Amino acid sequence: MLNILFIQEPSVNSTEYHKLTKDDRFNVIKYILATDGSITKESFIEFLMQCNRDGVQINGIFAGFPAFHPIGGLTQDIIELPIFHENVKCIALCSRGINFVDLETLTKYNIELFHYDDSSSDSNIAINQVGNDVADCAMWHVLEGFRKFSLFMNETITTKHSIKSRQVIRDDGTTKFAFGHELNANQFVLSPRGQRALILGMGSIGCLIATKLQYGLGMEIHYSKRGGPIKNDSWKYHPMDNLHEELYQFDAIVIALPGTTETFHLVDTTFLSKCKNDNLILVNVGRASIFDMEAITQGLSKGQIRHLGMDVFTNEPLIDSCLLDSRNKNKVTYTPHIGSGTKQVFDQSTDLAITQLTRWLLPSDTSSSRSH
Ligand SMILES: NC(=O)c1ccc[n+]([C@@H]2O[C@H](COP(=O)([O-])OP(=O)(O)OC[C@H]3O[C@@H](n4cnc5c(N)ncnc54)[C@H](O)[C@@H]3O)[C@@H](O)[C@H]2O)c1
């Protein structure tokens, strides 16, 4: 019997989880690392020791979201414990990103770490569901940048009146009727149709953002990435090393890049100085580290940035102060890192993680979806 420890709750809709609970080759053990601080690293280690005293060896770990984060990560001292590295053969995360895990020490002990990967048709999953759902989130922020629907909705909630909610306040404080095309005396609601979007990063997320902005909003698509262009004749490629010279022409810039040392503060004061100097829409669904937030804050205050849309934050889970600043309330939209937060992704991530664990632990198993 192989023991799989669940340190986070799986999706109750997961077919693979239900199969696992009925499979007599596996035993499901749960010790949930709660996010409220009630379980510490010490209590987790004590739990492992108790398992050992009871003669139960943990062979695989379903880490889910947010994995080991509540106890400060899967650190070297935990992995170095013989009761850990002598028994655990594999760990499966539900997130695509691998954060708070000491990969080097896991590799030293040949412990396999799986993460969410929906790019292959190998398993019974919807391919690139994450890319699709994050791209929806990016498209919403871009649309908000042009049309400002949330702003009008909030005004309607406040005024309970469909005319007053779109009224424009003149510089002298008087109001006038508005068709809905004016935000204030100097700013207009715009159609995204025919406007130019630059997408930075053209991986599984970037390509779907491009498709949605092109076919959903009617935008002209430009993109940049490392390693040369992709095969698509209707999107225009700009090499990264010449990007600054091209920035003047874009109405919306969408970030779908990973947070790396190379992309750190890619969007800084110099970058912004090359962009158009008003009505710029900036959206980030990649990583906040790509933005130099001081430069962005200045861009907002001097009126260069018409709209800032963010699904990622510098010190998550905290929200960047420029987004919370009341002076920017009509210029920002933010979502709490929920780009991929759909039921479909949640259910599928459990299915994938369990498939990865069971395949690794029983490599010769050829039954059902667990076969190689
Ligand atoms: N907001 C969310 O909920 C959410 C969810 C999943 C992923 N993400 C973020 O989105 C990022 C992109 O995800 P993906 O699945 O499309 O990744 P991917 O690996 O499929 O694509 C990354 C793209 O970025 C490009 N790139 C990487 N480094 C670069 C550099 N230094 N300069 C220029 N281009 C570079 C690559 O060429 C590729 O086109 C992830 O790394 C993650 O940070 C966010």
Side-chain angles (χ1 to χ4, degrees), residues 96 130 134 201-206 225-226 240 256-260 262-263 285-287 311-312 337-340:
R96 184 172 300 191
V130 165
V134 177
M202 218 44 176
S204 60
I205 295 174
K225 62 183 274 292
R226 67 173 176 201
M240 285 299 284
L257 287 165
T260 63
E262 279 173 67
T263 62
V285 293
R287 281 293 175 265
D311 189 48
V312 285
H337 208 147
I338 46 156
S340 63

Side-chain angles (χ1 to χ4, degrees), residues 94-209:
C94 282
S95 58
R96 184 172 300 191
I98 298 169
N99 298 320
F100 305 103
V101 173
D102 182 344
L103 266 176
E104 211 179 304
T105 312
L106 281 185
T107 310
K108 179 175 155 196
Y109 291 107
N110 290 322
I111 300 171
E112 191 71 14
L113 182 73
F114 296 104
H115 66 131
Y116 181 97
D117 178 5
D118 60 0
S119 62
S120 145
S121 57
D122 184 32
S123 307
N124 186 21
I125 56 159
I127 294 177
N128 210 359
Q129 185 71 44
V130 165
N132 178 76
D133 297 350
V134 177
D136 284 341
C137 179
M139 181 170 73
W140 180 78
H141 284 290
V142 172
L143 186 57
E144 281 287 307
F146 287 107
R147 296 293 306 270
K148 304 274 181 184
F149 286 131
S150 303
L151 181 58
F152 283 109
M153 192 185 80
N154 289 334
E155 286 298 317
T156 313
I157 290 170
T158 310
T159 61
K160 299 181 176 50
H161 197 285
S162 72
I163 303 286
K164 287 182 186 164
S165 55
R166 52 185 147 131
Q167 234 163 221
V168 173
I169 303 172
R170 293 194 188 95
D171 288 343
D172 64 4
T174 57
T175 54
K176 68 168 182 178
F177 169 78
F179 172 58
H181 65 299
E182 284 176 279
L183 293 170
N184 55 44
N186 307 310
Q187 223 189 7
F188 293 92
V189 172
L190 301 171
S191 168
R193 193 176 185 186
Q195 306 278 320
R196 286 187 181 169
L198 171 71
I199 297 158
L200 294 180
M202 218 44 176
S204 60
I205 295 174
C207 285
L208 280 154
I209 295 174

Side-chain angles (χ1 to χ4, degrees), residues 64-85:
F65 308 95
F68 295 87
H69 189 236
I71 57 162
L74 181 54
T75 47
Q76 183 177 6
D77 51 339
I78 299 177
I79 305 167
E80 295 276 2
L81 292 168
I83 47 165
F84 192 96
H85 71 254

